[in-house]
Amino acid sequence: MDLRPSLDERAYVRDGANQTAVKILVVGHFAVGKTTFIGSISEITPLSTEETMTRAGEAVDDLKGVRSKTTTTVAMDFGRLTLSDRVVLYLFGTPGQLRFVQMWEDMARGALGALVLVDPDRLADSFAVIDLIEQYGLDYAIAVNRFDGTPVYEDAALREALDLLDDTPVVTCDARDEKSSAEALIRLVRHLLDRVH
């Protein structure tokens, strides 16, 4: 006897709405705020695979600058945001450690684009993430997550430091704030629409 709940497409789409589902990746290096971002903006209770960090992980996870971090994503985060009666975003947050690269590749399939969260205090940690997103052929926007006490850089300096193309959007956000997170996603969606037209 199968006790799993049965879900059909109506479980994910509002009644009477003719919606287009858009898969978006929320990516970034370790401890940049991906889980917090999805948790702040998702209209459903987000799926989160946060687990307590252990001593075994100390050898592979660089905690420089994030000593207070006690949990980490071990598979993915998932949330949903309805932008209009026609467009709903399905948000897939990737684990931050590069040892999960195979999982990133699997999640990138079918994605329209990616929002790359960046910590302005650890810009160099973003290089490998941006390289992967470009390898997967995804259009993306950069969202600089403003942590308390982090440096503030001019857009031009960020673009140069991250070696971005002129048309790559750069926005600032606070992953803890719903409105700020929504604005970052909307900027990405506008960029993706511009690329399609």
Side-chain angles (χ1 to χ4, degrees), residues 69-168:
K69 186 165 177 64
T70 59
T71 62
T72 189
T73 300
V74 295
M76 69 174 204
D77 297 308
F78 174 78
R80 182 185 74 193
L81 179 64
T82 302
L83 291 184
S84 70
D85 283 342
R86 294 183 52 217
V87 179
V88 61
L89 303 181
Y90 290 92
L91 309 172
F92 290 79
T94 61
Q97 299 93 325
L98 290 179
R99 65 180 183 270
F100 295 114
V101 165
Q102 181 60 48
M103 194 173 300
W104 284 43
E105 188 174 326
D106 293 341
M107 281 194 270
R109 288 191 184 101
L112 189 61
L115 186 68
V116 180
L117 285 180
V118 170
D119 178 349
D121 221 14
R122 298 180 292 145
L123 289 177
D125 292 350
S126 299
F127 299 155
V129 174
I130 293 170
D131 285 347
L132 277 173
I133 292 304
E134 289 177 348
Q135 280 178 12
Y136 301 147
L138 293 175
D139 287 318
Y140 61 93
I142 301 289
V144 181
N145 190 10
R146 295 280 183 229
F147 293 88
D148 297 330
T150 55
V152 176
Y153 297 110
E154 300 269 335
D155 273 5
L158 280 168
R159 286 181 177 287
E160 184 177 346
L162 296 173
D163 194 25
L164 301 176
L165 296 174
D166 291 341
D167 66 342
T168 302

Side-chain angles (χ1 to χ4, degrees), residues 37 41 81 83 177-187:
F37 182 94
I41 199 169
L81 179 64
L83 291 184
D177 180 73
E178 179 182 5
K179 182 178 178 192
S180 178
S181 297
E183 288 170 356
L185 275 174
I186 289 168
R187 183 65 189 96

Side-chain angles (χ1 to χ4, degrees), residues 1 3 5 18 25 28 31 48 54 93 116 123 142 151 165 172 176 185:
M1 178 183 199
L3 298 177
N18 182 14
L25 296 187
S48 179
T54 64
V116 180
L123 289 177
I142 301 289
L165 296 174
T172 60
R176 301 165 293 188
L185 275 174

